Amino acid sequence: MTHEECLARAERELAASAAEVVDTFRLHYHFMPPAQWMNDPNGLVYFEGYYHVFYQHHPFGSAWGPMYWGHARSRDLITSEHLPIALAPSEDYDAAGCFSGSAVEAEGVLHLFYTGVREKGGQLVQVQCRATSTDGIHFEKDPSNPLIGEPPSDGSVDFRDPKVWRHGGRWYMAVGSGKDGGGRVLLYRSDNLSSWDYMGVLAESDGTQGSMWECPDVFPLGSKHVLLVSPMGTRGRRVIYFLGEMDYEAGRFTPESWGELDKGPDFYASQTFYGTERRILLAWMQSWEGRIPTQEHRWAGALTLPRELALDPAGRLRVYPAAEAAGLRIELLAADALVLNGETAALPPCDLRSSGVELVLGADGAAVSGGELAIRFKDMGSGEWVTVGIRGQRLYLDTRAAAWGERGCYSSGLAPEQRSQEVRIFLDRSSLEVFGEGEAACITARIYPPSGVLEAELSSQGGPLKVDLAMWKLQARS
Ligand code: FRU
């Protein structure tokens, strides 16, 4: 079959399964596939007035399978339009799948770089390939694929997820790999996007950061460079960020600090957009571990809210919901200035069946230093709950009292010098994202409250606590 025929077959299958998707846990304002499986965001690029989002997609099932590139675009990062599937396995070199990769624009042409995968002797052979488009919708695979046909001796058979970017008039490509039990990123350089020269190992694990680094991303931020990787071989895979210096001549990134980009269980394979002034990031809002209840409902996987990255004056990495997220607000459900002194305050219930909810809590210094502020979301049907709070200068999400997703207690440090803290909580029908003010202070989890109606209750400990509260109804799915 030609590439076009493979795409057409997948589209027919997808349309048939979209009609059978069960609505229960469908999200209102997060990106998700029309039906069936998705994982990593791919090819994030701003091209001719649209944010294009591609993603790892299996149109033939709600579990992972041979990978296609699904495709959507958005003008505002909030509402999006599904487009035809962009890439299908169709050639010898990508017969087992079109794995993750990136996109750049050059002279009006959109270039997708992806990993072609084929099976040989029980192993997945991984090579780097390209497809191009002038209309941003139909893609042709390069006749000279694979552009990089084998890993260098610094790498291994795990050799995937090319991320291409431009610096100082030249093109660079970071490829994820691993060797001798340590994750690493390999660097290539090109003047024409077609022929690539291997430069060397861009960065590698210090021995504690995973055995294989998937989905690398490299970009400047303020006066620093950032390297993101999604490691395999760590307990509970989490995206790692490194802040450091990039030497483009030597092809070497020197890390100065590192941490986890999000502390929750459902955040992986992040990527940032090419072609935007701001550094906007999306990640797969799900994980390789754990049960996914929506698979029985004919779909699986979603993307996080778009997030913006910045360095604060102290040089820490901050992660915020992109400004566009405020455009989701359609009605103010509650606004209050409360003083809590040990008692609890009931908030209006969050009815997630009809729309999403955002809660904004402004807490004064007491919660940040000795006290505690907590908000409990209890499902009306099952009586189980999750708690979001601030305690001991940490932001936390505790899901141990709910069987709706991964059970655990996840936390992130807050900026100690800040006298007040703002916490933003985004609830959708089956997701929860929390943002605080600290180094990469965000926690993302999929939750599946059975009734979809959450009773919300605020409580405090440790002396009178001033809390400014706003609760917003967010956009409903159209
Ligand atoms: C990350 C990942 C990538 C790979 C893709 C396959 O989640 O394992 O390394 O390209 O998913 O779908």
Side-chain angles (χ1 to χ4, degrees):
M1 275 200 282
T2 64
H3 189 217
E4 285 67 36
E5 287 164 348
C6 294
L7 290 169
R9 194 169 71 102
E11 285 296 343
R12 280 195 301 277
E13 175 69 21
L14 190 63
S17 41
E20 289 169 19
V21 166
V22 181
D23 200 46
T24 315
F25 292 124
R26 295 288 277 173
L27 297 157
H28 297 291
Y29 60 92
H30 286 86
F31 181 80
M32 58 189 169
Q36 309 290 38
W37 171 269
M38 75 169 285
N39 53 292
D40 316 356
N42 293 155
L44 303 184
V45 62
Y46 189 70
F47 178 66
E48 295 182 348
Y50 288 97
Y51 297 93
H52 284 259
V53 173
F54 301 82
Y55 54 95
Q56 291 283 280
H57 187 30
H58 184 218
F60 294 91
S62 61
W64 190 85
M67 282 290 106
Y68 291 61
W69 275 38
H71 186 194
R73 67 180 178 189
S74 171
R75 283 215 184 267
D76 58 7
L77 280 174
I78 291 299
T79 49
S80 59
E81 148 195 24
H82 289 291
L83 292 174
I85 296 172
L87 295 178
S90 63
E91 313 299 318
D92 283 347
Y93 58 78
D94 63 14
C98 301
F99 274 20
S100 286
S102 58
V104 295
E105 186 266 332
E107 290 161 14
V109 177
L110 192 54
H111 299 249
L112 305 185
F113 291 90
Y114 69 99
T115 300
V117 176
R118 78 188 147 91
E119 235 178 287
K120 195 181 159 197
Q123 254 187 359
L124 289 182
V125 178
Q126 304 173 27
V127 295
Q128 314 319 321
C129 307
R130 173 170 65 165
T132 55
S133 169
T134 47
D135 65 3
I137 296 178
H138 304 95
F139 291 86
E140 272 181 40
K141 293 183 183 173
D142 192 324
S144 38
N145 279 345
L147 302 185
I148 305 175
E150 57 180 6
S153 57
D154 287 337
S156 61
V157 285
D158 284 314
F159 176 56
R160 56 180 178 269
D161 311 338
K163 171 74 193 200
V164 175
W165 77 105
R166 194 170 172 80
H167 177 87
R170 306 183 88 167
W171 296 102
Y172 292 83
M173 180 197 285
V175 183
S177 195
K179 181 135 187 175
D180 305 329
R184 44 173 65 177
V185 176
L186 308 172
L187 185 66
Y188 289 79
R189 184 159 70 187
S190 172
D191 287 323
N192 55 18
L193 290 171
S194 307
S195 59
W196 291 90
D197 297 322
Y198 178 59
M199 290 187 76
V201 178
L202 175 98
E204 59 203 311
S205 160
D206 68 1
T208 66
Q209 297 153 334
S211 53
M212 153 69 197
W213 281 358
E214 302 187 307
C215 305
D217 197 354
V218 183
F219 50 88
L221 194 68
S223 58
K224 295 286 169 202
H225 260 73
V226 179
L227 166 65
L228 304 179
V229 296
S230 295
M232 291 173 73
T234 55
R235 191 183 52 81
R237 299 195 202 180
R238 303 264 194 277
V239 177
I240 296 179
Y241 66 87
F242 296 91
L243 299 182
E245 298 289 342
M246 178 70 198
D247 180 339
Y248 279 91
E249 269 327 295
R252 188 84 199 163
F253 174 87
T254 307
E256 291 162 359
S257 62
W258 67 284
E260 286 176 356
L261 189 56
D262 184 291
K263 310 327 189 256
D266 290 298
F267 181 96
Y268 196 67
S270 66
Q271 190 178 104
T272 61
F273 275 90
Y274 181 83
T276 53
E277 295 281 307
R278 295 173 292 159
R279 192 48 65 170
I280 302 167
L281 172 135
L282 292 172
W284 179 36
M285 191 165 65
Q286 199 78 66
S287 80
W288 289 114
E289 296 82 22
R291 204 174 76 79
I292 306 177
T294 65
Q295 280 182 305
E296 292 151 31
H297 299 176
R298 284 253 182 187
W299 69 286
L303 296 179
T304 59
L305 272 180
R307 300 176 183 190
E308 192 173 334
L309 307 187
L311 292 186
D312 73 9
R316 286 179 297 231
L317 181 66
R318 293 292 187 104
V319 184
Y320 309 93
E324 283 85 346
L328 288 166
R329 296 172 177 170
I330 48 178
E331 190 189 334
L332 186 60
L333 297 172
D336 234 331
L338 303 166
V339 180
L340 294 174
N341 201 356
E343 68 278 47
T344 57
L347 306 178
C350 308
D351 187 347
L352 303 176
R353 295 168 306 182
S354 54
S355 71
V357 168
E358 179 191 353
L359 269 144
V360 187
L361 300 175
D364 71 10
V368 185
S369 37
E372 173 167 1
L373 174 69
I375 179 161
R376 174 183 283 201
F377 298 101
K378 183 163 138 204
D379 181 75
M380 295 258 260
S382 68
E384 296 176 50
W385 69 85
V386 299
T387 312
V388 175
I390 299 179
R391 188 197 305 129
Q393 296 190 340
R394 292 189 79 77
L395 175 72
Y396 71 87
L397 165 66
D398 187 345
T399 60
R400 288 173 299 180
W404 318 325
E406 287 304 294
R407 283 186 185 181
C409 192
Y410 312 94
S411 76
S412 191
L414 295 168
E417 76 280 8
Q418 256 176 245
R419 292 182 50 79
S420 64
Q421 278 284 338
E422 185 179 88
V423 177
R424 292 175 75 183
I425 305 170
F426 289 84
L427 286 157
D428 203 333
R429 179 64 185 88
S430 56
S431 70
L432 195 160
E433 289 165 279
V434 190
F435 298 89
E437 297 181 278
E439 176 130 22
C442 30
I443 308 175
T444 302
R446 296 302 299 271
I447 56 167
Y448 307 93
S451 80
V453 184
L454 301 181
E455 291 171 328
E457 197 179 81
L458 201 59
S459 62
S460 77
Q461 268 175 37
L465 203 65
K466 236 180 89 229
V467 184
D468 289 324
L469 171 118
M471 186 170 175
W472 295 90
K473 181 173 177 173
L474 302 186
Q475 188 168 297
R477 195 172 346 121
S478 49

